[in-house]
Amino acid sequence: MPIHLNDMDVASAIEDQSSTLIIPCYMCPAVTVSVRENKPFIQLLGHFLKSQPFEQYIKNIQSVLMERGVESTVFKSRFVHQWFLCLWTSARRKKLKRQIHKYDSVIVLGCDSATETVRELVKKTDCKVIQGMEVVGFMNAKMKFRLPCDVTFEDCKIVPITQQAIEG
């Protein structure tokens, strides 16, 4: 049940910045992009544990930022246990915190929880936090394995997140 996300306009939010660190969550945003582009989430034989559609998505963001004179770097998470940004260990968070001070801003590609994780780390700095994606709902889909070892999602539906009224 990954969260489905929509893109936000990061280029206009970063106009006054000269450098940014792109901090991606490698699960829900990657699933969202692969489903939107109708491409495999992961190709185990060709790009082991990398979502090529999401990698290209990040490169496209970097290209737009470069055109606007903003230098960007991606904070990579190569191991499966690091894919969910909102569930990072304290060691992973410390590593990111050490990197943040080098940049004017950070762009978080993930849900509100991922953005909150990063916001906690930039407290007491001048670093601007930019949310790069917004939550639309949950994705209800069937995971499929296709030859030659591709992981895809089919029959995708977006289930809205409902707000429950607080009784009082």
Side-chain angles (χ1 to χ4, degrees):
M1 153 192 87
I3 295 173
H4 185 77
L5 304 153
N6 278 345
D7 303 340
M8 296 179 74
D9 182 11
V10 295
S12 64
I14 203 164
E15 285 182 9
D16 57 342
Q17 310 296 310
S18 62
S19 65
T20 193
L21 180 63
I22 299 171
I23 307 168
C25 176
Y26 283 93
M27 184 49 68
C28 298
V31 171
T32 295
V33 171
S34 69
V35 167
R36 178 175 62 209
E37 295 183 8
N38 198 27
K39 293 183 178 174
F41 168 60
I42 295 178
Q43 296 175 297
L44 295 173
L45 293 181
H47 307 284
F48 186 69
L49 297 182
K50 276 190 178 180
S51 176
Q52 278 309 109
F54 190 54
E55 294 292 325
Q56 186 58 50
Y57 174 82
I58 293 170
K59 286 179 185 175
N60 291 344
I61 290 173
Q62 288 185 288
S63 178
V64 168
L65 294 173
M66 188 184 326
E67 288 173 7
R68 293 179 178 241
V70 179
E71 291 183 35
S72 65
T73 305
V74 179
F75 188 78
K76 300 222 179 232
S77 296
R78 300 192 192 285
F79 302 108
V80 175
H81 70 280
Q82 297 173 347
W83 281 7
F84 291 90
L85 196 159
C86 61
L87 299 175
W88 277 355
T89 63
S90 58
R92 189 76 184 142
R93 292 172 193 230
K94 284 178 187 175
K95 183 174 183 176
L96 175 60
K97 190 171 187 171
R98 287 191 303 267
Q99 296 292 313
I100 286 174
H101 78 277
K102 300 176 186 176
Y103 300 91
D104 298 326
S105 63
V106 294
I107 297 171
V108 181
L109 300 178
C111 68
D112 297 351
S113 182
T115 302
E116 183 60 27
T117 297
V118 174
R119 255 194 204 105
E120 288 292 317
L121 298 174
V122 300
K123 283 184 178 177
K124 301 178 186 172
T125 70
D126 293 331
C127 191
K128 180 179 179 180
V129 177
I130 300 165
Q131 189 162 350
M133 301 179 108
E134 65 181 345
V135 174
V136 176
F138 296 107
M139 186 178 304
N140 183 304
K142 295 175 188 165
M143 187 185 316
K144 297 281 185 175
F145 293 97
R146 295 217 163 143
L147 293 176
C149 296
D150 292 350
V151 178
T152 62
F153 294 93
E154 295 180 352
D155 299 328
C156 300
K157 298 176 199 156
I158 309 306
V159 179
I161 297 175
T162 56
Q163 298 285 331
Q164 293 183 1
I166 299 174
E167 295 181 27

